[in-house]
Amino acid sequence: MPDYTAKKIDEMEAAYGGGFVKVRAELGVTSFGIQVIQLPADSTDYPEHDHVEDGQEEVYLALAGSGWMDVEGERVELDRDVFVRVGAAARRKVHSGPDGLRVLVLGACPDEPYKIKPFSELGGA
């Protein structure tokens, strides 16, 4: 029997009012973080943050809609053709445009096994 899992984003469990889709948990991934962030039109609710404490670097890719990131005060446009890598120490905040925004976010810590955060588990937060 093949070892794989396939699920539609809209059928996955989400937290924070549907804004944080638990892709990693839904697919059973344990080696890296993978989530989908969904923001309504013109949202500024995504928290500014960094990963200094845990050392995680992240990669962002817009899947739908429009938006941008503030990374250490620089505006970086998000679209389906641009991957954005953000190092652990850099402060980042995602903003959506008038169409809302759906963003794929991948994360892991260099040279360390991935540590699953409880809020990203099914049934959590």
Side-chain angles (χ1 to χ4, degrees):
M1 179 177 264
D3 182 11
Y4 77 95
T5 306
K7 290 191 173 186
K8 292 183 176 188
I9 293 171
D10 293 337
E11 295 172 354
M12 294 183 181
E13 183 179 311
Y16 306 109
F20 182 87
V21 182
K22 300 177 180 185
V23 177
R24 185 206 53 75
E26 287 281 0
L27 297 179
V29 174
T30 58
S31 57
F32 58 91
I34 177 172
Q35 315 304 341
V36 169
I37 305 301
Q38 302 182 118
L39 300 173
D42 302 313
S43 177
T44 60
D45 290 341
Y46 187 82
E48 181 180 45
H49 69 286
D50 61 44
H51 284 279
V52 170
E53 253 183 55
D54 61 16
Q56 180 170 276
E57 63 184 353
E58 295 177 323
V59 173
Y60 295 76
L61 175 67
L63 300 175
S66 62
W68 69 94
M69 296 179 71
D70 276 325
V71 181
E72 293 290 333
E74 287 190 35
R75 183 175 168 137
V76 180
E77 296 296 325
L78 295 172
D79 72 40
R80 292 181 288 276
D81 293 326
V82 177
F83 285 90
V84 180
R85 181 205 155 268
V86 183
R91 300 224 21 107
R92 81 274 334 241
K93 181 174 175 68
V94 177
H95 303 264
S96 64
D99 304 319
L101 181 64
R102 180 182 269 182
V103 176
L104 177 70
V105 184
L106 303 168
C109 299
D111 302 320
E112 288 184 27
Y114 184 69
K115 295 177 185 99
I116 295 171
K117 295 181 175 148
F119 75 88
S120 72
E121 291 284 59
L122 298 177

